[in-house]
Amino acid sequence: MSHPLLVASDTETLPIWLANDISWPDIAAKLPPQAQAFARSQGFEAKAGSHCLLPNQDGSLLGVVFGLDAADAKRVDPFLPGKLATLLPEGTYRFETDAPNADLAALAWVLGSYSFDRYRKRSHKAVRLVLPHGVDGAEISRIAEAVMASRDLVNTPTSDLGPDGIEAAARRIAEKHGASFKSIVGDDLLKHNFPMIHAVGRASATPPRLIDFTWGKMDAPRITLVGKGVAFDTGGLDIKPASSMLMMRKDMGGSAAALALADMIMGANLPVRLRVLIPAVENAISANAFRPGDILHSRKGLSVEIGNTDAEGRLILADALALADEEDPDLVVDFATLTGAARVALGPELPPFYTHDDTLADEIAETGATVNDPVWRMPLWQPYHSQLDSKFADVNNTGGPMAGSVTAALFLSRFVSAAKAWVHFDIFAWNNATRPGRPEGGEVQAARLMYALLKKRYAS
C-alpha cells in the first residue's frame, strides 16, 4: 500500500515539466503558445528550485514547469523535485518529463510534505503525485513513514517524551512487527549489570532503562542496532548554558534513527536476526546525580573516570554496546547525537561515521551518496587513545580539547571487541533550515543508507 500522497493513477492529473538550462528551450517549444508567453512574461528561467504555474486559455491550471540543477552542476540534489509538494495547489500531478532519480523524487515528495502538528494544528493541501514508472510505492511509503514517525519523536519535547515515552515508542514498533520486547528499568539495571546507564539516569524523576527487542530467525545474520536515548540533557552537574539546552529534546535522535531503521528492516522482512538496544535516560540534576571525578564501573569491566558529566551519551552507549558485543554479532550499528565537535568538523548535514572495516566504510559512503543520505568517514586515530588516559581508572570519559568526535568514537570502540564489524554514526538529528524533502526540525540521518546497505547485502 502506498502513502496517500502517492497514487498509482488518476484520470485528472496535471503535468510537471522538469527542466534544466539545456532542456528548457525544447520543452518550452512544445507548450501551447499562451503557456510559452506566460512563462516569458514571468521571467521564468530553469534554475534549480524555480517554478512557474502555467495557465490554460480559460485561466485554469495547465501544469507547472520546475527547474532542476544545471546540466553542469557539480552537486545535484535528487530530492529537489520534492520541493513541489509544498509549492503546488491541491491536486494530482505527474512528471511529464523524467525525473533524474524517480525513486528519490517520489520519496522527497512525501518527506517534504511532513509537518509536526502535535501542538499546533495546520491545514494541509492534498498535493498528490502519480507514482513514476518503475517506482515501488510500497517501498517508498515504508521508508517515508518510518522516517516521519521518528521525526515526530525527535520533535516531541521531553515533557511528553521522557525515557518512558521512548520505551513506549519502541514497544509500538516492536509489537507492530511481532518482535520480542523487554525493558530493564531503574535499580534493576544494577542487578543486571548496567551500572553506567543507571548512574547517568538516576537523578531523573523518570527512571533510566535499557530497551531491548529482537526479531527474526535466530540462525540468520545477526544485526544489532544501538541508539542513544537521552530524552533531555542538562549536562548534569557540569551544566550546559541555557542556550545549549534549547534543542536538547533532540538528544534522543540516535534512538529515533535506530527505531526508524528497525521499522524499515522488519517492514521489508529482511532475512536477518535483528536486535535493538536503546539506553533511555534523562541526564538531570539532583542530590544523587553522578559527579565530575566519580569513577564508574561498566558492564565491560572497565572503570571509567568522569571528566565531565556532559559527556554522558558515551557512557550509556558503552554499557549497551558491551551487551551487544556479547553475542558476537555480524554487525553492530550505533547512532548517537554524541558531539558538538562533529558539527564543527562537518556541519549539521554531513554526519561523520567511524569503523575499522574498510570494506564496510566504502559500502557506507557509496550507499549514502546513492540514496541521498550522505555521511563522511572519520578516522579512529589510534594515537588519540592517550587523550582518554586516566590516573585513577582504566579510561576517562573525555579527551582533550581537540578531535572531540574522534576521541568519543575511540572511547566507544573500547567496548566493542567481538563483533565482526561495528560502525558508529555521530549524527545531528536536526535540520536548521528547510530543504527539499527535509523540513526544518527533527531529522533521521544515516538510517536510510543503512537500510539500503542491508537490503543489498541480504535481500538481493
Side-chain angles (χ1 to χ4, degrees):
M1 179 179 289
S2 293
H3 189 277
L5 296 184
L6 300 176
V7 297
S9 62
D10 198 302
T11 55
E12 297 182 8
T13 61
L14 295 163
I16 299 170
W17 292 276
L18 301 172
N20 62 20
D21 52 338
I22 301 300
S23 64
W24 171 232
D26 289 338
I27 292 172
K30 297 176 183 177
L31 296 174
Q34 81 278 359
Q36 295 183 40
F38 186 83
R40 285 195 299 270
S41 71
Q42 297 298 304
F44 175 77
E45 297 180 14
K47 294 183 178 179
S50 63
H51 80 291
C52 184
L53 300 177
L54 302 176
N56 282 307
Q57 288 184 330
D58 63 1
S60 62
L61 182 59
L62 169 70
V64 58
V65 60
F66 182 75
L68 298 176
D69 294 287
D72 60 353
K74 294 181 179 179
R75 169 73 168 86
V76 174
D77 183 2
F79 271 12
L80 190 58
K83 183 178 181 181
L84 287 164
T86 61
L87 295 176
L88 298 179
E90 187 165 312
T92 303
Y93 298 82
R94 70 181 187 275
F95 291 139
E96 187 69 12
T97 52
D98 291 337
N101 188 315
D103 289 278
L104 292 182
L107 177 62
W109 189 283
V110 180
L111 292 180
S113 69
Y114 169 85
S115 65
F116 183 60
D117 298 336
R118 178 168 178 171
Y119 303 97
R120 183 179 65 175
K121 300 302 180 184
R122 284 168 280 194
S123 59
H124 293 280
K125 299 179 294 183
V127 183
R128 296 174 293 272
L129 177 69
V130 173
L131 277 169
H133 179 71
V135 172
D136 184 341
E139 172 78 342
I140 296 298
S141 299
R142 177 165 48 246
I143 295 169
E145 288 168 2
V147 169
M148 293 190 294
S150 283
R151 283 175 175 174
D152 281 348
L153 296 178
V154 179
N155 283 322
T156 301
T158 312
S159 53
D160 287 318
L161 193 82
D164 51 347
I166 297 172
E167 178 183 336
R171 187 183 296 274
R172 285 194 298 271
I173 291 173
E175 291 178 348
K176 171 183 173 183
H177 299 287
S180 174
F181 185 95
K182 66 178 180 180
S183 180
I184 303 171
V185 182
D187 289 344
D188 282 348
L189 290 165
L190 296 176
K191 297 177 184 177
H192 291 275
N193 192 24
F194 299 103
M196 294 204 295
I197 298 174
H198 182 271
V200 172
R202 70 192 183 203
S204 172
T206 306
R209 61 206 64 212
L210 177 65
I211 300 157
D212 182 356
F213 65 87
T214 57
W215 172 90
K217 295 180 179 179
M218 293 300 294
D219 59 350
R222 297 185 301 278
I223 310 298
T224 301
L225 313 180
V226 180
K228 174 187 169 185
V230 177
F232 193 85
D233 183 17
T234 63
L237 293 177
D238 286 310
I239 191 169
K240 294 177 182 288
S243 59
S244 297
M245 288 194 217
L246 291 176
M247 291 175 64
M248 280 302 103
R249 71 176 69 179
K250 79 173 186 66
D251 211 23
M252 46 65 65
S255 64
L259 290 175
L261 176 53
D263 198 8
M264 295 176 207
I265 290 170
M266 293 185 290
N269 200 28
L270 293 189
V272 299
R273 187 273 196 177
L274 177 69
R275 188 177 193 183
V276 179
L277 299 172
I278 296 174
V281 304
E282 180 185 5
N283 188 20
I285 299 172
S286 73
N288 67 336
F290 76 117
R291 296 164 289 263
D294 281 357
I295 295 178
L296 305 181
H297 297 285
S298 70
R299 182 177 185 86
K300 186 79 171 180
L302 297 174
S303 57
V304 181
E305 182 182 7
I306 303 305
N308 192 303
T309 62
D310 196 19
E312 85 298 334
R314 67 199 66 183
L315 299 174
I316 64 173
L317 285 172
D319 270 357
L321 286 170
L323 173 62
D325 200 51
E326 290 166 13
E327 285 192 320
D328 302 340
D330 295 276
L331 175 62
V332 175
V333 185
D334 81 70
F335 302 90
T337 52
L338 206 61
T339 69
R343 259 43 71 193
V344 172
L346 297 175
E349 299 173 15
L350 189 63
F353 74 94
Y354 299 83
T355 181
H356 296 290
D357 188 323
D358 293 338
T359 300
L360 176 61
D362 291 344
E363 206 174 347
I364 288 171
E366 179 182 352
T367 306
T370 299
V371 302
N372 200 31
D373 195 6
V375 292
W376 197 265
R377 188 183 190 184
M378 294 274 277
L380 287 161
W381 186 245
Q382 297 303 301
Y384 288 170
H385 268 295
S386 62
Q387 293 190 32
L388 297 167
D389 287 348
S390 166
K391 294 180 180 178
F392 307 104
D394 293 318
V395 63
N396 199 297
N397 76 323
T398 56
M402 294 183 285
S405 181
V406 177
T407 55
L410 288 171
F411 177 88
L412 295 180
S413 73
R414 298 195 181 199
F415 297 86
V416 184
S417 56
K420 295 179 178 65
W422 162 69
V423 58
H424 160 61
F425 291 97
D426 191 344
I427 64 175
F428 188 57
W430 196 264
N431 295 316
N432 286 328
T434 295
R435 295 175 289 139
R438 295 181 171 97
E440 181 178 357
E443 187 55 283
V444 174
Q445 295 175 304
R448 287 191 303 107
L449 86 82
M450 285 307 304
Y451 169 66
L453 187 154
L454 293 171
K455 184 179 177 183
K456 183 179 179 181
R457 275 192 178 188
Y458 299 112
S460 59

